[in-house]
Structure formats: C-alpha cells, structure tokens
Amino acid sequence: MQRMGTDDGRGGEQQMDIVEAESVGSDRGSYSGPFSGPLNKRGGRKSARFNVPADAAPVAGDDEVYVEITLDVRDDSVAVHSVKPAGNGECEDPEVTLLQRTLEKRSSFGSSVIRTASSRIRQVSQELKRLASLTMRQGPGRVERSRSAAAHALLGLKFISKTDGSAGWAAVEKRFDDLAVDGCLSRALFGQCIGMKESKEFAGELFDALARRRNITANSITKSELREFWDQISDQSFDSRLQTFFDMVDKNADGRINEEEVKEIISLSASANKLSKIQEQAEEYARMIMEELDPNNLGYIEIYNLETLLLQAPSQSVRPGTANSRNLSQMLSQKLKPTIEPNPIKRYYQKFRYFVEDNWMRVWVLLLWLGICAGLFTWKFIQYRNRAVYHVMGYCVCVAKGGAETLKFNMALILLPVCRNTITWLRNKTKLGVIVPFDDNLNFHKVIAAGIVVGVGLHAISHLTCDFPRLLHASDEEYIPMKPFFGDTRPNNYWWFVKGTEGWTGIVMVVLMAIAFTLAMPWFRRGRLNLPKPLKRLTGFNAFWYSHHLFVIVYILLIIHGIFLYLSHKWYKKTTWMYLAVPVLLYASERLIRALRSSVRPVKILKVALYPGNVLALHVSKPQGFKYRSGQYMFVNCAAVSPFEWHPFSITSAPQDDYVSVHIRTAGDWTRRLKEVFSEVCQPSTDGKSGLLRADYDHGSNSPYPSFPKVLIDGPYGAPAQDYKKYDVVLLVGLGIGATPFISILKDIVNNMKLLEDDSGVDGNADLERAGESTTRKGNRSFKTRRAYFYWVTREQGSFEWFKGVMNEVAEADTKDAIELHNYCTSVYEEGDARSALIAMLQSLNHAKHGVDVVSGTRVKSHFARPNWRNVYKRIALNHRDQRIGVFYCGAAGLTKELRQLALDFSRKTNTKFDFHKENF
C-alpha cells in the first residue's frame, strides 16, 4: 500500500513517505524501519503494513490526509485488515471510517478482481520496499551491513530459544490455557507462559514494550493478543528483534533513548544474568554507552545507534577461519559422526580393543590383583580340603579360610595407595609412572575396600552359618578329630564361639568396618543425604575422617584375631602379622613424617583474604627445603579448628614464588569453621586491594600478625596435573574452585618461558622453538610445553575475583601468545540471547576502551553460558595435527565422563591424540 501526497512544486515528482513495507512469512529479508509495527504470521496469511511516523508532519501547502491501511495478503486474495488515521489515532475521522467500510466491502469481490488487486499490491509493495531502502540509506543513521556482520548480528537478540515460532506456539498456548484466568493472562505470568520463568523481571519489561506498541494499557492480555506478542518475539528477522529490544529500552515510546533509560535496562539485564557488580556500576556503564553512541551530546540515542553497535564485525574469538580450515573442520565433523558397525562380532571386538587401549594400565594392575587374590584363596581352600577338619565342617571351612587369606592380603595392600609420600617419590624419581597408573591410587584404594567386603563376607558368613553349626551338631565320634582345636568338650551353643577372643574380636572388627565403610560412601561423605537434624553429624567430611581412624583399632584387633586362631597353633602358620608388618610400618612412618615435618618447618602467615563465593586465600611463607611442582597439593592443619584434622588443597602459587598459597572454598564443617576463624582477624579491604575481607602480615614488626591462628602445612604430594610438562600442548579445564591447580601451572608456564628467553640469549621476537632447543642443549631446564589452553567455568561473577591478579599477570606476561585464556560465566545467558545482548554490547565497548572485561574484571574477555566441549576439542585437533595433547581436569564428577569420552573419540578418529587426566584427592 502506498500513501501519496500532491505535487510539492519540485518538478511535479510524486513524493512517498515510506517507513516500512514488509511481507511477513517470506523467506527473503526485508527492511524494518524504526517505526515498524507488529507483524502477523498466522496460517498462510501474509500481511503488509505501512506506517507513518507519528511526527511526520505534512509539508507546506500539503493538505492531503494520510491514513494507515493494513492488508492481509494471501496466495490468491487480498483483504483489508484495518484502516486508521496515520497520526496518533485518538480521534475518529468520518471520512476514514467511510473509506474503511468501502474498502472492506470491495475486498469481498470476485476472485478475478482480487487476483488483479493482489498482483497490483505486490508490485506496489516491492516498489515501496525499494524506495524505502533507498530513502533509509540516504539518512545519516543508516548502517552498511556486511555479510559477516549481518550473519553475526542474526545470532543475537533471540528472545526465545526456539527458532520456529509456529512450532513453539503450541506449547505457549497450552501454558496459556493452564495459567489464564477468565481468558486473560496477567503480566506476572507472562514470563512463565513464554518460557522465561527464570527471568520474570525481564519478561515483564518485554510485556510492557509489546503492550505499548499496541496501545494496551491493561496488565493482562487475551490469547489473540498473546499470539501477536509471540509472533513478534519469535520473528527471526534481525530488524524485528532490534525494534523489540529498542522498544524495551524506550519506555516513553518517543523513539529516543536517554541515559536514565539505558541505566535501567543495564540494571535489568545484570539482574537477569546475576551480575551484581555490573548492576552496582550501571550508572557508570550507561554514561560510557552514551559517550560512545552519542558523540554529539544530543542527550539521546536512536535505533540506528544500537544497530551500529550490534552490526560490528565479529570479535577475534569468533572470527571465521580460512577456506582450508573450514573444509578441514567439515571433514573432521563428518569423520566424528557416530557410525554403528553392522557386524555384532566386529562391533564387540572393536569396543573391547578400544577398552584395552584406553585402560591397559588399569587392566594389568587389576588382573594382577585378582590373580593374587584368586591364588591365595585357591591355595588355602586346597590346604583345608586335605585336613581332618574338612570331614566335620565340610567345604564351609575351606571357603572361610580362603576368604580370610584374601582378607589379610587386602588389609595390608589397602594402606599402600594412601602412602602419599611414597607414591610422590615413585612418581617423581622413577619411571614406574609409564606402566603404573599412579593417578588412580584412590580409585584402587576403593577397589581393594570392595575386596575386603567380599573377604569379610566369605569368612564370617561361612563360619556363622555353615561350619560352626556343623560343629555344634557333630556326633561324639565325628568330634574326636576336633578336640585338639576346640577342647575335649564339644561346644554346645553359639555363645561359646562369641565369648572367645577369636569371636568378639571378629564381631567388633566387622562392626567398626561397617561404620567406616558406610560413612565413606559418597552420599554420607559429601552430605547428599537429607537426614534429620540430630543425625546430620553422621554426614560430611568430618564424619568420614574420624570414622576412618577406627581402622587403627581394627588393625590391632586383626593382629589379635590372627594370633588366637582355632585351627592353627604353630606361630609360623599365624601369618596375619606377616602380611601387615611392612605396610603398617610404612604408613605409620608417613604419618610420623607428617607430624615431624610440619612442626620442624613452621610457616608464617603472610596474607589472608576472603573472596566472594566463600573462598579463603592463605599465603604463607615457604619453609626451607619445601620444593614442589605446579599441579601438586599439600595438607593444611589449623589447631584452632581441629588439632587432628589435615585437609588437602591444591597449591596455587608457582614454584618460583617466595611464598606458598592455597585457595579454600567453604564446602564442609572444617572449611566453614576455618573461614569463621580467619574472618575474625580480617578487616574490610582498603586501597583497592582484593578481597572482601583481608589481613596482611605487618612487615614493620618481627612477629606475625598477633591474632593469626597457627597453621601447619605438610607436603607437597604428587597429583596428575604435575605431569603437564610432558606435553607440548595442554588443555586445562577447571570448574569453579577446580581451577586452583591450573593457576599454578599457568604462572609456571609464563615463568619458564621467561627463563627460556633469558637462557637462550635471544631477543623477544626470536622464535620460541629455537629458544627452547638452545636451552635444552645447555641442559639448564627441561620444559616441553609450548602451548596451553585454559578453560575456567564458574557460576558466579564474584568467582573471578579469586585469581584476578594472576589472570592479568599471565595475560600481560604472555608476549608469545602461548597461553589462551577462556573464562566462562554460566549465570549469564548464552551469547545471542536477548537477555544478555546488552551485556555483550557493554563488554565489547568496555574492553575496546579500557582493555578490561566487565564480567570478570580482568583483561581476559569472558564468554557466556557453558562451553561446547566438542568444538573445543575440534579446534585444538585442527590446530595441532599429529600431536599428543594433555587434557587435565579438576572439578565436579559430572563433566568427567563427557571430557574423557571426547578425548577417546578424537584420539581414535583423528591424528591428534588426547590423554585425559583427572585430579583426585
């Protein structure tokens, strides 16, 4: 539809005042001007609306009346949807009303007339689009859209996750039917109805913007109005999304956004994304946006200003690759697609082969262990099968004694995986790490515990339910061979067995082991069970730690039980103490070394800082002779909390630092109490220092801060992450506080690269590889790592405060771009979501202007939501073909399976090999 004025005296050329002409439902892109209205997409109907700006006054001498006509254009028909004045529409014009009725009446003519009209309207519509496009390009605010920028922009400002609005409407309609009262949906329930349940405030503002455009003043809408709302927010054209977002900010609907309105939308977006720091600085950021987009100090910005910002070229983190890299990426994607082997024999063989390839170290250790257990059981079984007691007690005594032999072996073996000093020495000083999976020491400890349970079951159940009853019911003649073992008088009841030393020691051991094993289960240890308040003390790390020390009593009783045996009286046949001697002495020595080492090497607290997210940072002096590697951990003890408890924490300082630091997150009783103890001696941070609360050592005096509680440390101990130096390329993944071991590694990489440059004597622009080769020849340092990818994923914005200084230091010192840092904040909606659109704009502006990320507060630009781990692996595989990548992960167990499986998939199907390692404490 066109609105035409009279000749204005400039050559008799007809002037058209066109603002929008868009055919909705078409696959072709079209322009939506700053005054475009809501568009309908119901069924197969197409509508075209041509709006006039409210402030578009007629030129001098122009007395023509302008109207707004909405047409419904179908495939073979066209109908007038509405006719109203082009102004504010508040006054009713009788001529307009007459025109409306006339047109509506004519719209019901025969099909041939309609087809002709439809054809004519399409021609006019296309002409209007062309002229509108030309008109808007001539304006000062029109933005030239490049293909890459437009493609990038189309990924943004999504109000719903569904790309197909029609498909999503069914679910919205169902929710409307459930939530509506008297056929109307209230504003408060709008967010829940359209799928924004977690962003009620944002959904409320979206409701207001959509309602303002339709002159809806009520706080509720009908289903038909909801459908109009849904059609607009599900519109996939960028212009429509931009207009909707602009309307949200432009609360007074004057087509302009002032600084106060920008501040309000920043606060709203920050609140929806749980970014409290941005919310606090909303006024400062609003001023920055106005300075950037309003260089002429007009006091407002318009829609094309926002468009300018959104259509900026994609950042380097998302820049498209070359044609060759894209082709390789596509080929890799095709190769990684899962395929099912039709032959079941080949399929199972392939699975078995992959399993052995990926777990051969674990397999041979477990097979060796199972073989020893089976051998001991068989040996003892056969031995008692040939003794006289077999004729009275039968196979029951053979099973009981076979189970007892495996139990003695496992009770000795279970101590070795927790001899941490010994394992650390073997890991660092020997080559056994090539064939022995030291990273799985705690997992093997748990497997042996399962073997102990089996041994206890075989031994106790066979005795109590089988051979003892047979002995009680044996005849006098059958009992004669038993007299040397049980006395001249045959036992007449169970109590005889229970009251003996062999009986009560066995029962007490079983009870204590049952308590320790139960409280060591993940449900109890990690406090996952929702028990009544009086029983809460049975959960958590403290209950696990203290119950595990019941094994001191268990081992004493086990030795006593092994001495007072019914069926063995000769000392050399009582072998329990022989099994236990070396492992118990070794473990006792380790505990003694810890006590002596921690007391002989006292530490001085240098700094204490309490960060958001309940994280306590402790910086202590480095004891003399305390040498460690990045990725290792140490034990910490604080007598003010508990004089007996020692807890492991990753070391976050680098080996070259003159202090040792740990970051401790409150996760249980001990850590909660530790935070409380140190909070009492801390004060609010001043002079721009990090931390909510802070206390530093007073260098002006010779004594430490008088109120600091005493802290002891023990270590260092080996961990999987310390092996990062074996790889040229490493991928480091930390979830939340799981970033701690990798902070030390990042600092160590930077420090080592500085040393490589200094030792090689080359300038800063020399090739890094030549520097490394020169250093290696000199023998000064063995350091292989040349590239590191660090991904830190955390839920809270405040978490970035923990290592803010380190991240900035690494970013500044990494002159070779050897370290790629990626921070992910999962509380922020994914990039492209309308709820995070303004945060993304703000992030780009602030980083370009000040070099600081608004989310993390560091020089490292943050990403939103969670990483696509498959894409992460894929990019590294493309960048480092024919190389072996070390993948190190520390965090919640939920992600372990995905990262390990991706490492296996890419190792099998590409020429890049990924070795996965997970931190265990």
Side-chain angles (χ1 to χ4, degrees):
M1 182 66 188
Q2 65 179 2
R3 297 192 308 273
M4 305 179 64
T6 58
D7 191 315
D8 64 354
R10 289 174 292 181
E13 181 182 353
Q14 289 179 321
Q15 301 298 315
M16 296 185 182
D17 188 1
I18 306 299
V19 177
E20 179 203 8
E22 180 167 339
S23 177
V24 182
S26 172
D27 293 332
R28 293 171 298 173
S30 58
Y31 174 77
S32 289
F35 298 91
S36 62
L39 305 173
N40 297 322
K41 293 184 181 177
R42 303 181 187 178
R45 183 174 68 189
K46 302 181 180 180
S47 80
R49 302 187 63 174
F50 314 110
N51 303 336
V52 176
D55 58 349
V59 295
D62 188 358
D63 57 354
E64 294 291 330
V65 178
Y66 288 82
V67 296
E68 176 181 322
I69 303 176
T70 303
L71 302 179
D72 290 339
V73 182
R74 300 178 184 272
D75 292 336
D76 60 348
S77 64
V78 60
V80 176
H81 184 271
S82 65
V83 180
K84 53 187 177 181
N88 52 24
E90 294 177 357
C91 58
E92 184 176 351
D93 191 324
E95 293 183 9
V96 171
T97 304
L98 179 61
L99 175 62
Q100 176 182 359
R101 291 173 182 172
T102 304
L103 288 173
E104 288 176 352
K105 191 178 297 182
R106 289 182 182 177
S107 66
S108 61
F109 284 178
S111 59
S112 61
V113 177
I114 295 301
R115 289 192 189 98
T116 304
S118 176
S119 176
R120 177 57 180 162
I121 293 259
R122 287 194 185 98
Q123 293 175 8
V124 173
S125 176
Q126 291 172 3
E127 181 66 14
L128 292 177
K129 288 180 187 179
R130 186 184 67 81
L131 291 174
S133 177
L134 291 172
T135 303
M136 295 308 297
R137 279 198 200 101
Q138 292 168 3
R142 182 60 181 166
V143 179
E144 193 68 31
R145 301 182 184 179
S146 66
R147 287 187 61 185
S148 61
H152 177 65
L154 283 172
L155 298 176
L157 286 178
K158 290 182 291 187
F159 290 90
I160 55 171
S161 57
K162 298 270 187 188
T163 56
D164 189 347
S166 299
W169 168 248
V172 174
E173 187 175 27
K174 185 178 182 304
R175 287 193 290 266
F176 176 89
D177 295 335
D178 295 336
L179 300 172
V181 178
D182 297 330
C184 290
L185 179 73
S186 67
R187 178 183 182 274
L189 298 175
F190 177 69
Q192 184 177 348
C193 187
I194 66 171
M196 284 190 182
K197 188 176 181 179
E198 297 179 355
S199 308
K200 290 184 177 180
E201 290 183 16
F202 189 90
E205 291 295 332
L206 178 59
F207 178 96
D208 294 341
L210 296 169
R212 278 196 301 270
R213 178 152 289 277
R214 290 160 179 78
N215 295 321
I216 298 174
T217 56
N219 278 332
S220 60
I221 54 174
T222 62
K223 183 183 288 189
S224 61
E225 291 170 332
L226 176 63
R227 181 59 195 263
E228 290 186 18
F229 283 19
W230 179 256
D231 286 341
Q232 183 168 343
I233 63 177
S234 61
D235 192 328
Q236 294 305 300
S237 72
F238 172 70
D239 293 303
S240 179
R241 298 180 197 169
L242 177 63
Q243 183 64 59
T244 304
F245 187 76
F246 185 86
D247 290 342
M248 286 184 65
V249 187
D250 183 20
K251 294 192 175 182
N252 57 6
D254 62 351
R256 297 171 177 178
I257 302 175
N258 57 38
E259 187 173 327
E260 186 61 30
E261 289 173 324
V262 173
K263 176 185 172 184
E264 288 183 26
I265 198 65
I266 289 176
S267 297
L268 180 67
S269 298
S271 175
N273 291 280
K274 300 180 179 63
L275 301 174
S276 56
K277 292 186 177 296
I278 293 181
Q279 201 168 1
E280 294 168 3
Q281 297 175 277
E283 186 173 350
E284 176 186 340
Y285 290 138
R287 192 180 309 116
M288 183 184 69
I289 287 179
M290 294 300 294
E291 289 175 359
E292 181 70 21
L293 300 183
D294 181 25
N296 298 324
N297 296 320
L298 300 175
Y300 61 86
I301 57 177
E302 297 181 286
I303 192 168
Y304 67 82
N305 300 116
L306 279 181
E307 188 178 10
T308 303
L309 192 59
L310 285 168
L311 290 179
Q312 286 179 347
S315 62
Q316 288 186 353
S317 61
V318 293
R319 66 181 183 271
T322 62
N324 186 40
S325 66
R326 285 196 296 271
N327 292 336
L328 286 171
S329 177
Q330 292 172 3
M331 291 170 59
L332 188 59
S333 298
Q334 290 293 328
K335 198 173 183 180
L336 290 169
K337 282 185 177 179
T339 56
I340 299 177
E341 171 61 50
N343 189 325
I345 297 176
K346 289 184 178 180
R347 185 165 63 246
Y348 289 120
Y349 169 74
Q350 188 181 56
K351 287 183 178 179
F352 176 76
R353 182 168 63 86
Y354 282 156
F355 176 80
V356 174
E357 287 178 0
D358 299 331
N359 301 280
W360 67 270
M361 285 196 290
R362 299 185 184 97
V363 168
W364 85 259
V365 171
L366 286 176
L367 288 177
L368 177 63
W369 173 69
L370 289 172
I372 293 173
C373 289
L376 290 172
F377 181 89
T378 304
W379 168 58
K380 216 63 178 178
F381 186 96
I382 295 173
Q383 187 183 84
Y384 273 82
R385 173 68 178 77
N386 297 325
R387 291 183 60 173
V389 295
Y390 167 77
H391 300 289
V392 178
M393 297 181 173
Y395 284 107
C396 302
V397 71
C398 299
V399 173
K401 288 301 180 179
E405 202 67 19
T406 64
L407 179 60
K408 289 185 285 186
F409 169 69
N410 285 326
M411 287 295 288
L413 185 64
I414 199 170
L415 294 175
L416 298 183
V418 290
C419 290
R420 300 175 191 268
N421 285 305
T422 303
I423 291 177
T424 301
W425 184 85
L426 291 173
R427 182 196 290 269
N428 295 341
K429 302 298 183 181
T430 70
K431 300 294 184 181
L432 285 176
V434 177
I435 59 172
V436 178
F438 288 120
D439 294 353
D440 291 317
N441 62 320
L442 292 184
N443 293 328
F444 189 47
H445 178 78
K446 296 172 185 177
V447 170
I448 298 170
I452 290 173
V453 172
V454 173
V456 169
L458 291 174
H459 183 71
I461 293 173
S462 297
H463 272 326
L464 297 175
T465 65
C466 190
D467 55 14
F468 285 172
R470 290 178 66 129
L471 183 63
L472 291 173
H473 294 92
S475 63
D476 293 339
E477 184 179 352
E478 292 174 332
Y479 183 73
I480 292 174
M482 300 291 100
K483 287 183 179 181
F485 308 112
F486 297 97
D488 295 333
T489 305
R490 183 183 61 196
N492 55 2
N493 54 45
Y494 262 94
W495 179 246
W496 189 92
F497 297 104
V498 173
K499 68 181 181 180
T501 305
E502 302 91 333
W504 71 263
T505 54
I507 292 173
V508 173
M509 278 193 295
V510 170
V511 172
L512 294 180
M513 282 195 287
I515 294 172
F517 283 7
T518 301
L519 297 181
M521 295 292 179
W523 303 283
F524 285 91
R525 181 180 177 180
R526 301 192 181 279
R528 295 173 183 170
L529 292 178
N530 189 17
L531 297 175
K533 196 170 183 179
L535 300 178
K536 275 289 185 184
R537 289 185 176 274
L538 295 178
T539 63
F541 187 86
N542 284 355
F544 157 78
W545 195 87
Y546 285 111
S547 65
H548 246 56
H549 283 74
L550 293 174
F551 275 95
V552 175
I553 302 173
V554 170
Y555 276 99
I556 294 172
L557 294 176
L558 181 60
I559 294 173
I560 296 173
H561 186 82
I563 293 173
F564 293 89
L565 294 177
Y566 290 123
L567 303 175
S568 298
H569 292 164
K570 295 179 180 180
W571 71 270
Y572 58 86
K573 291 187 177 181
K574 300 177 181 181
T575 58
T576 303
W577 66 274
M578 299 179 188
Y579 278 101
L580 299 178
V582 174
V584 168
L585 285 174
L586 182 62
Y587 183 75
S589 300
E590 292 231 349
R591 297 300 293 264
L592 183 62
I593 289 172
R594 171 186 292 180
L596 294 175
R597 187 165 56 186
S598 60
S599 59
V600 170
R601 299 190 302 190
V603 296
K604 182 188 299 181
I605 296 178
L606 304 177
K607 186 182 80 173
V608 177
L610 182 65
Y611 292 104
N614 289 322
V615 169
L616 178 72
L618 291 179
H619 289 231
V620 300
S621 59
K622 183 186 290 188
Q624 187 175 2
F626 188 87
K627 297 180 180 179
Y628 63 93
R629 300 181 183 183
S630 289
Q632 292 185 331
Y633 66 95
M634 67 182 185
F635 281 85
V636 177
N637 170 271
C638 181
V641 178
S642 171
F644 307 110
E645 291 185 49
W646 292 80
H647 292 259
F649 299 100
S650 295
I651 301 173
T652 53
S653 53
Q656 298 85 355
D657 293 334
D658 58 358
Y659 62 89
V660 181
S661 66
V662 291
H663 286 68
I664 303 170
R665 184 166 195 173
T666 301
D669 299 336
W670 188 87
T671 51
R672 187 177 302 109
R673 180 61 185 146
L674 183 73
K675 189 197 81 170
E676 292 171 356
V677 167
F678 278 99
S679 296
E680 294 173 359
V681 301
C682 292
Q683 301 294 329
S685 297
T686 57
D687 302 327
K689 294 182 178 179
S690 62
L692 300 174
L693 300 174
R694 187 185 177 99
D696 294 271
Y697 173 71
D698 185 3
H699 294 280
S701 64
N702 295 324
S703 60
Y705 199 91
S707 299
F708 277 146
K710 185 179 180 181
V711 169
L712 302 176
I713 65 172
D714 175 56
Y717 292 102
Q722 76 175 57
D723 295 330
Y724 84 93
K725 289 186 178 182
K726 297 178 180 178
Y727 300 93
D728 292 333
V729 182
V730 293
L731 169 61
L732 312 173
V733 180
L735 259 60
I737 199 65
T740 48
F742 308 129
I743 294 300
S744 176
I745 289 175
L746 292 176
K747 295 172 69 176
D748 192 38
I749 291 174
V750 171
N751 291 337
N752 274 284
M753 288 185 173
K754 287 181 180 178
L755 289 173
L756 288 175
E757 292 182 10
D758 295 340
D759 292 345
S760 63
V762 296
D763 60 22
N765 295 322
D767 184 75
L768 187 59
E769 295 291 340
R770 288 190 291 121
E773 292 170 3
S774 173
T775 306
T776 304
R777 287 195 301 270
K778 290 180 180 181
N780 295 333
R781 182 171 296 272
S782 175
F783 182 72
K784 290 182 63 177
T785 307
R786 295 294 180 269
R787 184 72 167 159
Y789 299 87
F790 175 55
Y791 285 80
W792 183 19
V793 185
T794 183
R795 287 179 297 182
E796 303 164 352
Q797 183 189 14
S799 303
F800 296 115
E801 289 286 329
W802 307 343
F803 308 115
K804 182 177 178 179
V806 176
M807 301 295 275
N808 285 331
E809 179 185 341
V810 170
E812 292 173 7
D814 181 26
T815 57
K816 299 293 183 182
D817 292 328
I819 302 175
E820 202 172 281
L821 303 173
H822 298 273
N823 292 337
Y824 280 81
C825 186
T826 59
S827 70
V828 184
Y829 289 96
E830 64 181 349
E831 296 177 21
D833 194 297
R835 287 166 287 190
S836 62
L838 194 65
I839 303 299
M841 297 182 213
L842 194 60
Q843 183 187 49
S844 298
L845 278 178
N846 198 69
H847 202 275
K849 193 169 185 178
H850 303 115
V852 177
D853 182 66
V854 295
V855 178
S856 66
T858 68
R859 295 184 60 185
V860 182
K861 202 169 182 180
S862 299
H863 305 277
F864 303 157
R866 290 175 174 80
N868 184 324
W869 294 113
R870 176 168 285 273
N871 287 344
V872 171
Y873 275 81
K874 182 178 175 182
R875 190 165 66 88
I876 294 175
L878 289 171
N879 291 341
H880 305 282
R881 293 188 285 275
D882 298 314
Q883 287 186 274
R884 185 169 292 275
I885 314 298
V887 182
F888 298 90
Y889 170 66
C890 184
L895 188 58
T896 305
K897 183 178 179 181
E898 181 183 355
L899 293 178
R900 179 183 281 120
Q901 189 58 49
L902 285 171
L904 296 177
D905 289 345
F906 277 81
S907 296
R908 294 165 184 168
K909 298 180 180 181
T910 71
N911 54 11
T912 304
K913 306 304 177 186
F914 292 84
D915 294 340
F916 181 80
H917 307 268
K918 184 186 181 301
E919 290 292 307
N920 296 301
F921 289 106

